[in-house]
Amino acid sequence: QVHVVESGGGLVQAGGSLRLSCTASGAIFRLNSMGWHRQAPGKQRELVASITRSGTTYTADSVKGRFAISRDNAENTVGLQMNSLKPEDTAVYYCNIVTITSTGVTNNDWGQGTQVTVSS
């Protein structure tokens, strides 16, 4: 059983910054990757950024140059630094982790989400 918790969401003015964090705990033998998705009202959930254990990153075009993802493998944590925020960034942000258990099973786990609201 893996438990995922996000924090750092809130209300910010356009052009401002926020930093989200996520920590995974439980039956983790090896971390494969961690990432952030977001879902705005009436829209599908979309991948924002991800990072592998080796440090390979992906950033969606919509946030490229403004958001940066980082991780600490030893602590099973991932952060998302969000700069130059726009109203269209308003969404619930979800942390996702992919792990390998001690028995070799691959799991995908999600946090409960944290609300980010950007005002004009």
Side-chain angles (χ1 to χ4, degrees):
Q1 189 73 31
V2 178
H3 185 55
V4 182
V5 178
E6 308 103 327
S7 64
L11 175 65
V12 66
Q13 290 186 323
S17 299
L18 284 173
R19 182 174 178 81
L20 306 183
S21 64
C22 173
T23 301
S25 61
I28 300 173
F29 183 73
R30 184 177 179 87
L31 177 68
N32 275 4
S33 64
M34 304 182 77
W36 290 94
H37 294 68
R38 68 184 182 186
Q39 187 168 22
K43 294 188 176 182
Q44 296 293 313
R45 186 175 299 186
E46 63 176 342
L47 175 64
V48 176
S50 64
I51 186 167
T52 68
R53 181 179 180 86
S54 64
T56 301
T57 61
Y58 164 83
T59 307
D61 289 342
S62 59
V63 303
K64 194 166 296 182
R66 300 187 297 117
F67 292 9
I69 190 169
S70 61
R71 89 296 183 244
D72 184 334
N73 290 334
E75 299 294 330
N76 294 323
T77 61
V78 62
L80 185 68
Q81 180 65 47
M82 305 185 294
N83 299 321
S84 302
L85 283 162
K86 305 174 180 179
E88 51 262 45
D89 294 319
T90 296
V92 177
Y93 285 70
Y94 296 91
C95 179
N96 167 251
I97 66 165
V98 180
T99 59
I100 305 295
T101 70
S102 60
T103 58
V105 177
T106 300
N107 288 324
N108 289 300
D109 294 282
W110 296 83
Q112 81 290 342
T114 185
Q115 177 71 48
V116 172
T117 303
V118 184
S119 62
S120 300

